[in-house]
Amino acid sequence: MLYERVQPLLFKLDAERAHEEVCGLLALLDALPGGAIALGALTGAHETGWMSGLSRELFGLRFPNPIGLAAGFDKDGRLSRVLPALGFGFIEIGSVTLEPQPGNPRPRLFRVPESEALLNRMGFNGEGARAVARRLAAREKCPVPLGVNLGLNKDAAPAQAPAAYARAMRILSAHGDYFVVNVSSPNTPGLRDLQKSRELAAILEAVGEANAARKPVLVKLSPDLSPEDFDEGVAVAERLAQGLVVSNTTISREGVDPRWASEPGGLSGAPLRERALALVRRARGRTSLPIVGCGGVAGPGDARAMLEAGADLVELYTGLVYGGPRAVREILLALSREPTLFDGRR
Ligand SMILES: Cc1cc2nc3c(=O)[nH]c(=O)nc-3n(C[C@H](O)[C@H](O)[C@H](O)COP(=O)(O)O)c2cc1C
């Protein structure tokens, strides 16, 4: 398999540089007529994307399968044509902030290979809402549902947050199929405080007003909330949003070598798996809203566990870095052999 040969070379590079190389190649394929088809054929994913029995209907959108790419991989929406060729049933771009910003100084992305984890403190580097809207407007529509994840600029005061999210929503509203209010990144100081009931409600009300086309809006919650705060977040989402993404990266360093304890950032991948699963289960016990389960999914067993815990859709990022496109393909093949997994579901 191609990725098995390429991965050792990529892993010799700094993690962000490797990501840039991969994205450069994907951008080339994205721009090339037939590039997406070629990538699908090369990775063997072309036969899995629309596999029968896996499609779901959620918040008025048809998802060809329940496995999506999590936010952070394609921050500025450059790859929305080619990424579905890896088999993904949906793509979430972003986080997109209202204004462009450079993010934190490098290095800001680290591999923790012995734990199949990543640690990142990217800090919402991106071109900003207007540039992303222009790009998406000029492109062919993404062939699968496209989520746009909204973040907050580092220099925005908490009191400005509702207006900032709402303005980004207004600018991008025509270009996404669903939106995610991200108040859970650990890399923007103060952001996670916006998960408190009053603050979150104010943001969701402002975003709701800006959302003239009534696109589905989801809330992405942190795995580091206390049980009470998590439940409050779920309750506010139940009242003012159409779904949940559970969850984001964690500030916990459980499951990785102690040398990472003093390295700031959010941890993703295998060490997050059990926590994310438990939170999906907890959320499912408290709401009937659609839930996107995210955290530590790397193979068929993890995806199945997320769906059994109550997720309607599943996202991954770190699993793709360690497993390559084959991870997506293997998950889809395994799920397609278990049609009863979806019995009684949407
Ligand atoms: C390098 C990197 C950048 C990320 N950037 C974002 C982001 O901008 N917005 C967001 O909501 N989540 C972001 N995430 C979090 C992922 O979307 C996901 O919630 C988290 O990584 C857990 O999933 P995983 O274990 O499958 O990676 C990022 C993750 C990584 C590894």
Side-chain angles (χ1 to χ4, degrees), residues 5-77:
R5 298 212 190 126
V6 173
Q7 197 209 45
L9 303 176
L10 287 173
F11 275 31
K12 286 200 172 96
L13 302 175
D14 154 79
E16 186 169 354
R17 173 81 204 289
H19 179 71
E20 287 167 346
E21 294 295 333
V22 168
C23 288
L25 186 65
L26 289 172
L28 202 68
L29 290 168
D30 195 287
L32 226 62
I37 293 170
L39 181 67
L42 205 67
T43 57
H46 58 301
E47 40 184 85
T48 53
W50 288 89
M51 219 167 230
S52 66
L54 291 186
S55 75
R56 4 244 56 224
E57 177 117 18
L58 290 158
F59 20 73
L61 297 173
R62 190 94 206 141
F63 293 79
N65 72 63
I67 307 301
L69 178 63
F73 187 94
D74 183 16
K75 296 230 184 212
D76 291 320

Side-chain angles (χ1 to χ4, degrees), residues 19 69-73 75 92-96 108-110 116-125 149-151 180-187 220-221 245-250 266-273 276 293-298 315-321:
H19 179 71
L69 178 63
F73 187 94
K75 296 230 184 212
E92 191 172 314
I93 66 163
S95 291
V96 183
R108 53 192 180 176
L109 174 60
F110 307 88
E116 294 203 0
L118 293 174
L119 192 148
N120 95 82
R121 51 168 176 272
M122 304 298 288
F124 291 160
N125 52 307
N149 179 308
L150 305 175
V180 178
V181 171
N182 175 14
V183 277
S184 46
S185 165
N187 300 315
K220 186 164 180 178
L221 293 175
V245 183
V246 181
S247 68
N248 213 317
T249 57
T250 177
L267 190 68
S268 58
L272 180 60
R273 188 175 295 145
C294 182
V297 173
E315 285 183 340
L316 59 103
Y317 181 156
T318 307
L320 191 67
V321 172

